[in-house]
Amino acid sequence: EVANDPDATEVMRVWTGASEYVTLTGKLYPDPGVWGHLFCQLARHVARAYTLNGIGNREETLAAIRERFTEAWDE
């Protein structure tokens, strides 16, 4: 759907290696809370991928993501 949406825009790219690198590709939402929604959606997609690949289950994966997110947030 998004590929055919003329209003769709890429908003972020993330690279990992020895460190992490994130670029925001230009679109900032008037409500920064939208990013919370996007991060949550991303976590759900990651949990689904782990489940589909037989690595844990959705709840375990989401709990691990939340735990590490909270640790990083508090740094």
Side-chain angles (χ1 to χ4, degrees):
E1 290 178 21
V2 74
N4 296 319
D5 182 349
D7 296 323
T9 9
E10 178 180 21
V11 294
M12 178 175 41
R13 288 188 182 193
V14 179
W15 290 265
T16 62
S19 62
E20 293 85 25
Y21 185 78
V22 177
T23 61
L24 300 179
T25 56
K27 183 172 184 173
L28 294 178
Y29 299 96
D31 173 9
V34 170
W35 288 97
H37 173 79
L38 291 175
F39 297 152
C40 187
Q41 292 294 75
L42 177 60
R44 289 178 178 145
H45 282 282
V46 170
R48 184 170 190 267
Y50 270 71
T51 301
L52 290 173
N53 284 280
I55 309 169
N57 64 46
R58 181 179 187 275
E59 291 74 24
E60 292 169 345
T61 302
L62 287 173
I65 291 170
R66 179 179 279 192
E67 180 179 349
R68 189 65 60 88
F69 182 90
T70 301
E71 288 172 4
W73 184 274
D74 292 340
E75 288 178 359

